[in-house]
Amino acid sequence: MRREEPDGRGHTRGPDGLGHGHAGASGPVGGGRAGARTRLRGRRRRHSPLRRRSDAVEAWTTLAVAVLLFLGAPLAGVAAAWWAHDAARAVAAVERADRHRVRAEVVGRPPGSPTPARSGGEHTARAKVRWGEPGREARTAVARVPAAARHGDRVDVWFDSRGRAVPPPPDRATVWQHTLTVGAAATGGAATLVLLVHSAVRRVALRRRLAEWEREWARLGPEWTRRRA
């Protein structure tokens, strides 16, 4: 029987010629690392003496703010846009039922007519128009027409059931523009409100944290001072 001989590096060589680890080595290789990771996880689970309730409140508030910004605010915008779209469609339907369009001729501009304004996506100006209906004599009225219209041009003008000149009812593009505007405004407003509330909570948490630290220092400061003295 051959004896195991040391090879000079803390290892022994057996009968098979292969080196073996140093006697007294504990466990498999890497056991020390696993133990260190276990101790580290245990330390993380321990309650930090510097952690206050205000820290936990601020951490949960930050999580809630993230959820509200990325989910709550867009959902609020979608809900507001949905409501605005339905309301705008209802108003457009009522106006289409109450208003009618006539083809009229521009016969002049009223004296002292104001500066052209923007209505229905284009610049308009007040002008005197004339149109005729079958079986009736020609009628005249003052209505808004495109700002570029000249004397003798024929334009479309709208009147309500009372014969008053009114803007045209909203079309699909106008309805969708109103919908997107309301949705974007609601999303931005909700996000702004969330950020304002978060800022207020952070200020309150900071005040409480400072007050808690002052109380702890008032309790422990004299003891530390005596020890150092």
Side-chain angles (χ1 to χ4, degrees), residues 39-170:
R39 289 191 298 270
L40 180 59
R41 286 195 296 267
R43 289 177 181 175
R44 288 177 178 175
R45 294 193 187 100
R46 295 176 185 174
H47 178 71
S48 173
L50 299 179
R51 184 178 179 86
R52 297 293 183 265
R53 181 178 301 176
S54 57
D55 297 325
V57 171
E58 187 173 358
W60 282 107
T61 302
T62 302
L63 178 61
V65 165
V67 172
L68 290 175
L69 285 179
F70 290 101
L71 292 179
L75 288 177
V78 170
W82 192 292
W83 171 83
H85 183 72
D86 291 342
R89 288 184 59 186
V91 170
V94 171
E95 292 185 356
R96 280 195 298 267
D98 181 68
R99 302 177 182 184
H100 62 281
R101 180 179 57 184
V102 298
R103 190 73 173 172
E105 178 184 359
V106 178
V107 295
R109 296 193 181 272
S113 58
T115 305
R118 190 172 183 85
S119 176
E122 63 177 354
H123 291 282
T124 61
R126 295 177 64 85
K128 189 176 182 180
V129 297
R130 180 177 58 195
W131 75 98
E133 297 178 358
R136 296 183 181 182
E137 61 182 31
R139 300 176 57 184
T140 59
V142 176
R144 284 204 167 272
V145 300
R150 296 292 181 265
H151 188 281
D153 292 346
R154 299 189 65 84
V155 295
D156 290 330
V157 293
W158 290 81
F159 296 91
D160 61 9
S161 58
R162 299 180 182 181
R164 299 174 301 183
V166 292

